[in-house]
Amino acid sequence: MSHVLVPLSYGYEALEPHMDAQTVHLHHSAHHNSYVVKLNAALADDEERKGLDLASLQYVAGYAGLAVRNNGGGHYNHCLYWQNMAPIGSANTKPFGGLEEKIDQTWGSFDKFKEAFSQAAIGRFASGWAFLTLKSDGTLVVHNTPNHDNPLMETVSDVQGIPILTCDVWEHAYYLKYQNRRNEFVENWWKLVNWDAVVNNYEQYALQGRPVPF
Ligand code: MN
């Protein structure tokens, strides 16, 4: 199968002012697109993995060459990242239902969870991702990964599980607007999180033991 770059469900300007249109445009149409193009090129001669859908590919990416791991992870993580955001006013701004309870049980409050996640995002040295992940033992954790690794990748990530929320902390995600101020980017990114999508990821996929499909 050939992997494709799916258009965003909102316009490039829809996340203003916290995420500027130029950043979203370049991030999606140039950066994300290049991972899709390079992934297809890397899979062209990979008979074992070329037929897998993107989510299934993550599990085996750690056994493939770095081109599949980096570009396959890059494609999957960006799909989750775009899905995890929404224009202001179009989605719930806090977790609800079972996910809200689980977050409160795990961290004590939504604010404490946000602090822990922000710390994982800001504390990631150089390029990488912060994740909220449901592990197979039923615990919810925040963690980060380098490059485009993710917790679906067997043998790769020190945390294994199903990611339901992610924040991209590569400089290309924020540099035009925030320069070196990653902490300010992360603080404003919270205003864009689409909790309807995250709760759906938790209930419909993670709790069922399935990765969010893209
Ligand atoms: Mn990115």
Side-chain angles (χ1 to χ4, degrees):
M1 66 179 286
S2 192
H3 295 276
V4 295
L5 180 72
V6 174
L8 301 183
S9 64
Y10 39 81
Y12 288 137
E13 74 301 329
L15 305 178
E16 295 264 11
H18 307 300
M19 202 174 282
D20 59 292
Q22 191 184 11
T23 292
V24 178
H25 181 214
L26 284 171
H27 198 170
H28 180 259
S29 69
H31 292 280
H32 185 173
N33 186 59
S34 79
Y35 302 127
V36 178
V37 171
K38 289 176 189 164
L39 176 62
N40 284 325
L43 287 172
D45 297 319
D46 189 335
E47 296 304 326
E48 205 179 320
R49 302 178 187 92
K50 71 197 303 184
L52 298 175
D53 63 62
L54 185 59
S56 304
L57 182 65
Q58 304 309 304
Y59 287 97
V60 298
Y63 310 107
L66 267 183
V68 169
R69 172 171 158 183
N70 288 339
N71 294 295
H75 186 17
Y76 188 88
N77 294 352
H78 282 93
C79 289
L80 184 62
Y81 179 66
W82 301 125
Q83 183 241 40
N84 282 168
M85 294 187 288
I88 301 272
S90 67
N92 272 288
T93 56
K94 284 183 173 180
F96 51 91
L99 181 58
E100 179 186 25
E101 285 169 27
K102 185 81 175 175
I103 284 174
D104 286 348
Q105 278 168 16
T106 307
W107 286 279
S109 69
F110 179 49
D111 283 343
K112 290 213 173 87
F113 153 74
K114 281 170 72 178
E115 267 175 46
F117 188 101
S118 294
Q119 205 48 52
I122 295 162
R124 171 76 250 163
F125 180 74
S127 299
W129 297 78
F131 289 100
L132 172 61
T133 294
L134 184 67
K135 291 166 59 173
S136 56
D137 66 3
T139 57
L140 207 50
V141 294
V142 295
H143 63 109
N144 62 37
T145 62
N147 306 314
H148 288 319
D149 292 347
N150 68 50
L152 294 171
M153 296 176 175
E154 290 175 5
T155 76
V156 168
S157 174
D158 52 353
V159 172
Q160 300 279 307
I162 295 171
I164 58 172
L165 171 67
T166 192
C167 182
D168 186 344
V169 292
W170 282 56
E171 282 189 346
H172 68 223
Y174 61 86
Y175 201 83
L176 290 177
K177 183 178 174 71
Y178 296 96
Q179 292 83 49
N180 61 321
R181 303 185 307 278
R182 187 191 284 187
N183 55 338
E184 194 181 321
F185 160 69
V186 173
E187 197 180 310
N188 283 331
W189 169 82
W190 284 115
K191 299 169 188 164
L192 301 171
V193 173
N194 178 353
W195 283 101
D196 296 355
V198 183
V199 165
N200 191 62
N201 291 344
Y202 178 67
E203 292 180 351
Q204 301 302 316
Y205 297 103
L207 283 180
Q208 319 300 324
R210 293 182 295 150
V212 180
F214 289 108

